[in-house]
Amino acid sequence: MGLTTSKEYAELEWPIKIAIAIVWVAFAVNLFGTIVKRREKHMYVAIWFYIATVVTVAVLHITNSMTMPAGWFKSYSMYAGVQDALVQWWYGHNAVAFFLTTPYLGLMYYFLPKAANRPIFSYRLSIIHFWALIFLYIWAGPHHLLYTALPDWAQSLGMVFSLMLIAPSWGGMLNGLLTLRGVWDKVRQDPVLKFMVVAVTAYGMATLEGPVMAIKTVNSLSHYTDWTIAHAHGGALGWNGFLTFSMLYYLFPRLYKTNLWSTKLANYHFWLGLLGMMFYIIPIYVAGITEGLMWKQFNKDGFLQYPNFLETIIQVVPMFRLRAIGGMLYILGVLMMAYNLYRTAKAGKFESDTEAQAAPLEKTPAVAHGKLSWHRMLEGKPMFFTVLAIVSILVGGLVEIIPMFLVRENVPTIASVHPYTPLEVLGRDIYIREGCLGCHSQMIRPFRSETERYGEYSKAGEFIYDHPFLWGSERKGPDLAREGGKYPAAWHYNHMDDPRSVSPGSIMPRYSWLLTQNLETDTLPWKLSALRRIGVPYPAGYENGPAQKDLQEQAEKVVADLKLGGVNTDPNKEIIALIGYLQRLGTDIKSAPVTTAAK
Amino acid sequence: MSNDPKEPLLLDHNYDGIQELDNNLPRWWVWLFYITIIYAAVYLVYFHVTHTGNLSAAEYDQEMKVGNEIKAAAMGKFESSIPTLTPSTNAVVLDSGRQTYAKFCAPCHRADGGGLVGPNLTDSYWIHGSNFTDNVTVIWNGVPAKGMITWKKVLKPDEICSVASYIYTLRGAKLATPGKPPENQTPVNNGPSQFE
């Protein structure tokens, strides 16, 4: 449908964003209400993680959703370019952390000791790794933007904080695995524990791999390749998937007061899931590293070995097929589980109300264990605890984000960079609507392998009118940051109609409807005034008449260019706006020298 | 509740039946944490306080310097070898030359070499000399003032050789539509084409 803001993990348009915020707040009220009212005096470690989740996700969602509506289903990010990128990845990184990591750690802290019937290995470790984790995590966002136009200091912070995260993350894994000391024989038999062990191990692997990928040298190879995707899926399929399966296998028999219908089937699911995961992840690792190496390969004469991007992507297509097989195996396992659980539910009887037993109001003061008792006390003060958690998660974000907005040196101005013309704005919206940035980046990194291929590397000052930023995070096609003027207009026309007609073997889909659909220009005034309100210097009143005239003129020019290449079309087609936008990309600094980036 | 002799470290915590031990932090874990913290501090000081390390832009300049030297050396070597070059007849080379031609040259010299903006490459008239090596030189350096592009900035030396070898095969080709007539060029003895 094309309703998207283009921001990863935050694509939804603004009415939906507001709805999400309302639901989340309702959830938070419920959670805190329960915590405050209940009679249990201390909060168990699982609750700490839930609290961190609720408050952090709220902060992230609200900050990153700041958009200027331009109609019901269209809006522009309040932030532009480098700043938008930083906010987005502060959000993106931590949305993963506080939506897929901390709540799952909370769940692990409940289900693992329950299923294993063992006490948690170390209360101290819980305390230290919890606070370290939530404090440090927030800082690591910029590791998604290494070697981009983001200022160096922010990149460095992203890198070193990612490295410091290894130990706190592993604290969770260790506390899980060491809790199983003494019951490893049980692990071998019980599918619930088996799934759990793999989940916790996958968590450990992913949280080691993440920081490794945040090392700039590694990242220079891995970024924009399928390696990133392999990393994300290792975490999602292994940690989140397997922990979920294990919880379901634990819960169903208890909810329905019976035994699991088939332990054997659960074991098959386990092995199938594991196999599926291997088939899914290993090929894309291979693909990712292959892509990275081929993009960077120079021959002995100092020329790119594979100057044609297509060559590199065709190389890895078979890997994507294997990946699909892996995904199917994994889903097959899930179906087996669903059947198993269904049979379990049918065999038993749902226990609708278990006898609730209110915890006795305990009077014991928190003195027992000398040096850590202050934390014990904290566990009895949920609101104070929450405030401390909020403070810890805010520090990192504030230190990184505020200077990026206030210190001008971070985004050196380039005099020749101008706002997008009306036609280009509409073309850019089509680029967003069609999801081009899923496969194309717009960020040339400062490596010779990239500048030889794409042209001068991208500068922070080039993006000041980019609401939202469109740097992308993956390359399935070449970078487009300097696409403007690389090919004649007619080339683009034919390429969008059928990529294979001008670039044999291309894996890009056809977008032939752009050639026939009429360009919607009615919303232009809304769009331009929304953009002006967030800082793009269109003159007052520009949107009312002059803008439409400029749009027509530029469209006619594109039509004339197309005619040179033997293509005849009308100026009111969507393709015209898209070509206008593509031909503009990256051309601003071709016309004037750049003020050197501040060190 | 810590009365189980086997679990001396059991704390008196009990949440829905979950208990907690009070084990010490694993030593290696503590060290791992310290090391990453120290590394972070050293890294930040090295790059951002004392400015000892090269940041992205300086790193890039360095990389460019090295890379461009290698490239310049290779190009210099090729340039001085131009007078000794001969057209290739290898089918693979000619095919890659044909592709390069279709992509980069046909817009000006016409798909069949008959000439559009650029001169006819199939006739016996040459502005810059009729030898194979003359062609290579023109393609390599271009004639910017007259609209012929300096291809050494775009194509690799071996691509230039292959496209030159390919246009060599076009000499004397029978064109379906007449080629561009020669302007103030002098006719020269072309040397044999493959098709003659």
Side-chain angles (χ1 to χ4, degrees):
Chain A
M1 291 199 300
L3 297 181
T4 173
T5 62
S6 85
K7 302 205 0 170
E8 258 176 277
Y9 306 114
E11 290 87 349
L12 302 166
E13 267 304 346
W14 64 274
I16 309 175
K17 282 187 172 171
I18 293 176
I20 292 176
I22 293 172
V23 170
W24 195 258
V25 168
F27 169 52
V29 169
N30 213 342
L31 181 90
F32 285 112
T34 310
I35 292 175
V36 171
K37 270 191 71 178
R38 64 191 202 139
R39 300 173 74 174
E40 174 75 56
K41 269 198 79 176
H42 297 285
M43 293 185 296
Y44 177 54
V45 46
I47 313 274
W48 314 345
F49 279 104
Y50 300 146
I51 291 180
T53 303
V54 169
V55 299
T56 315
V57 168
V59 171
L60 294 172
H61 177 73
I62 292 169
T63 314
N64 191 44
S65 297
M66 288 299 158
T67 55
M68 180 57 73
W72 277 106
F73 292 108
K74 178 72 204 166
S75 64
Y76 295 106
S77 172
M78 209 81 113
Y79 322 112
V82 173
Q83 292 147 359
D84 194 38
L86 181 68
V87 172
Q88 161 60 27
W89 281 113
W90 164 79
Y91 165 87
H93 170 74
N94 292 300
V96 171
F98 287 87
F99 210 82
L100 295 176
T101 304
T102 51
Y104 269 78
L105 279 170
L107 292 170
M108 177 199 86
Y109 270 114
Y110 180 81
F111 283 95
L112 191 135
K114 275 291 214 189
N117 200 12
R118 288 279 307 158
I120 285 292
F121 167 71
S122 170
Y123 169 62
R124 286 183 221 185
L125 187 56
S126 303
I127 296 175
I128 295 187
H129 104 90
F130 169 76
W131 287 104
L133 192 77
I134 67 165
F135 176 73
L136 296 173
Y137 234 118
I138 291 287
W139 294 75
H143 71 206
H144 290 258
L145 299 167
L146 297 179
Y147 283 116
T148 63
L150 187 76
D152 281 299
W153 62 265
Q155 297 186 24
S156 296
L157 284 179
M159 166 173 159
V160 298
F161 275 87
S162 304
L163 286 171
M164 286 191 280
L165 262 174
I166 299 177
S169 304
W170 273 30
M173 173 178 77
L174 288 176
N175 230 355
L177 292 181
L178 292 175
T179 296
L180 296 173
R181 278 191 318 182
V183 289
W184 282 99
D185 49 324
K186 244 164 101 184
V187 172
R188 232 163 291 137
Q189 285 141 25
D190 184 359
V192 172
L193 287 176
K194 251 192 238 181
F195 274 108
M196 218 168 266
V197 165
V198 170
V200 174
T201 313
Y203 173 66
M205 292 303 106
T207 52
L208 175 64
E209 186 194 17
V212 168
M213 292 169 75
I215 297 172
K216 283 180 90 176
T217 323
V218 178
N219 192 272
S220 73
L221 179 79
S222 73
H223 195 42
Y224 291 129
T225 73
D226 275 292
W227 185 345
T228 314
I229 302 170
H231 168 66
H233 283 87
L237 299 179
W239 164 237
N240 299 113
F242 270 45
L243 195 65
T244 308
F245 303 150
S246 125
M247 291 185 302
L248 290 173
Y249 281 126
Y250 176 85
L251 282 175
F252 263 66
R254 281 168 182 78
L255 287 176
Y256 290 92
K257 287 240 143 170
T258 176
N259 286 328
L260 189 63
W261 179 65
S262 164
T263 309
K264 212 166 164 190
L265 193 61
N267 278 326
Y268 282 138
H269 172 199
F270 175 78
W271 290 111
L272 204 62
L274 209 56
L275 197 69
M277 231 157 73
M278 296 298 135
F279 265 99
Y280 193 102
I281 293 167
I282 295 173
I284 36 179
Y285 271 117
V286 175
I289 293 171
T290 310
E291 287 160 355
L293 291 174
M294 286 179 89
W295 294 346
K296 284 192 158 299
Q297 185 67 48
F298 280 101
N299 67 16
K300 64 171 189 351
D301 291 341
F303 291 88
L304 283 174
Q305 181 79 35
Y306 307 99
N308 188 353
F309 186 89
L310 196 55
E311 255 181 297
T312 68
I313 205 78
I314 287 174
Q315 198 68 31
V316 298
V317 168
M319 296 295 156
F320 300 155
R321 303 232 162 83
L322 282 179
R323 168 189 182 181
I325 295 176
M328 277 182 306
L329 292 179
Y330 194 85
I331 289 181
L332 195 66
V334 174
L335 293 179
M336 278 160 54
M337 174 183 74
Y339 183 68
N340 203 349
L341 296 179
Y342 167 73
R343 290 300 296 254
T344 308
K346 261 190 73 176
K349 193 174 145 290
F350 188 67
E351 211 187 345
S352 49
D353 38 14
T354 39
E355 236 172 90
Q357 201 189 36
L361 282 172
E362 26 175 336
K363 293 248 163 55
T364 30
V367 283
H369 289 274
K371 52 182 171 166
L372 282 174
S373 59
W374 60 270
H375 198 271
R376 200 72 189 132
M377 229 136 77
L378 197 58
E379 289 161 28
K381 298 191 169 40
M383 284 305 137
F384 186 51
F385 186 100
T386 306
V387 170
L388 281 188
I390 294 179
V391 171
S392 341
I393 61 126
L394 282 182
V395 176
L398 294 178
V399 170
E400 286 172 356
I401 294 172
I402 291 181
M404 201 62 72
F405 280 87
L406 296 185
V407 182
R408 286 193 55 123
E409 217 181 53
N410 281 320
V411 186
T413 341
I414 302 172
S416 60
V417 172
H418 298 294
Y420 292 103
T421 65
L423 187 73
E424 289 157 7
V425 167
L426 297 183
R428 194 168 195 268
D429 287 344
I430 294 172
Y431 186 92
I432 293 171
R433 183 191 76 194
E434 300 295 345
C436 306
L437 91 157
C439 292
H440 293 281
S441 56
Q442 288 188 17
M443 172 48 59
I444 302 168
R445 303 187 298 162
F447 302 125
R448 187 162 172 263
S449 56
E450 301 219 348
T451 54
E452 288 278 294
R453 189 187 296 280
Y454 304 119
E456 182 60 22
Y457 67 87
S458 301
K459 311 286 188 301
E462 288 184 78
F463 302 99
I464 52 174
Y465 301 122
D466 277 25
H467 296 272
F469 81 115
L470 296 177
W471 296 358
S473 52
E474 198 199 331
R475 285 182 187 150
K476 282 269 151 29
D479 188 276
L480 299 179
R482 303 226 181 277
E483 187 66 8
K486 259 190 200 162
Y487 299 96
W491 185 93
H492 284 295
Y493 188 92
N494 295 327
H495 184 246
M496 296 310 293
D497 183 23
D498 180 7
R500 261 108 5 232
S501 70
V502 285
S503 178
S506 168
I507 60 166
M508 179 168 138
R510 300 180 60 171
Y511 289 89
S512 39
W513 57 87
L514 297 177
L515 274 54
T516 50
Q517 278 179 22
N518 285 338
L519 185 65
E520 218 261 278
T521 54
D522 295 347
T523 50
L524 186 65
W526 290 13
K527 288 181 171 179
L528 293 182
S529 52
L531 286 170
R532 182 173 46 232
R533 242 172 279 146
I534 49 182
V536 182
Y538 294 114
Y542 177 65
E543 67 273 20
N544 293 329
Q548 295 284 359
K549 204 176 125 256
D550 285 355
L551 184 135
Q552 291 312 328
E553 274 173 15
Q554 197 183 357
E556 294 292 348
K557 230 186 263 155
V558 175
V559 170
D561 283 348
L562 283 171
K563 199 165 266 157
L564 284 183
V567 174
N568 289 308
T569 182
D570 299 332
N572 63 342
K573 299 294 174 207
E574 287 190 329
I575 186 78
I576 304 291
L578 186 64
I579 292 176
Y581 171 63
L582 290 174
Q583 295 292 47
R584 163 72 187 275
L585 280 178
T587 53
D588 280 351
I589 72 163
K590 281 182 187 163
S591 44
V594 190
T595 50
T596 36
K599 285 236 176 117
Chain B
M1 259 176 277
S2 51
N3 44 10
D4 185 348
K6 271 185 288 173
E7 305 275 18
L9 294 166
L10 202 62
L11 293 168
D12 57 350
H13 301 175
N14 187 328
Y15 306 93
D16 196 12
I18 299 174
Q19 293 183 299
E20 292 179 298
L21 297 175
D22 195 24
N23 276 307
N24 263 324
L25 309 172
R27 287 237 71 68
W28 63 269
W29 181 85
V30 176
W31 278 111
L32 177 69
F33 201 11
Y34 284 154
I35 289 170
T36 55
I37 293 173
I38 294 167
Y39 177 84
V42 171
Y43 184 93
L44 292 178
V45 169
Y46 183 77
F47 282 100
H48 298 280
V49 179
T50 63
H51 298 289
T52 321
N54 276 344
L55 293 173
S56 328
E59 209 182 327
Y60 171 74
D61 293 342
Q62 186 62 30
E63 189 194 3
M64 283 305 272
K65 214 176 126 227
V66 175
N68 286 343
E69 268 164 21
I70 296 174
K71 196 167 152 181
M75 286 172 74
K77 212 164 116 217
F78 175 77
E79 203 156 15
S80 51
S81 76
I82 290 180
T84 65
L85 293 176
T86 50
S88 167
T89 50
N90 180 316
V92 180
V93 172
L94 289 177
D95 190 57
S96 89
R98 186 181 52 74
Q99 287 176 20
T100 310
Y101 183 86
K103 195 160 154 202
F104 294 109
C105 322
C108 293
H109 290 283
R110 217 168 85 178
D112 59 4
L116 285 166
V117 180
N120 190 336
L121 300 176
T122 63
D123 61 12
S124 340
Y125 295 88
W126 294 94
I127 308 170
H128 298 281
S130 66
N131 293 316
F132 174 73
T133 54
D134 295 331
N135 282 183
V136 176
T137 310
V138 175
I139 301 168
W140 180 252
N141 290 319
V143 193
K146 298 280 185 58
M148 167 69 178
I149 292 164
T150 306
W151 289 102
K152 67 177 162 198
K153 292 184 188 151
V154 182
L155 300 173
K156 295 184 214 169
D158 54 334
E159 288 170 319
I160 289 188
C161 282
S162 56
V163 76
S165 301
Y166 173 71
I167 60 169
Y168 199 71
T169 67
L170 298 177
R171 294 183 176 200
K174 310 263 174 305
L175 300 178
T177 41
K180 194 181 176 192
E183 284 137 9
N184 46 3
Q185 302 153 318
T186 39
V188 263
N189 181 12
N190 255 337
S193 152
Q194 298 227 305
F195 299 109
E196 275 173 339

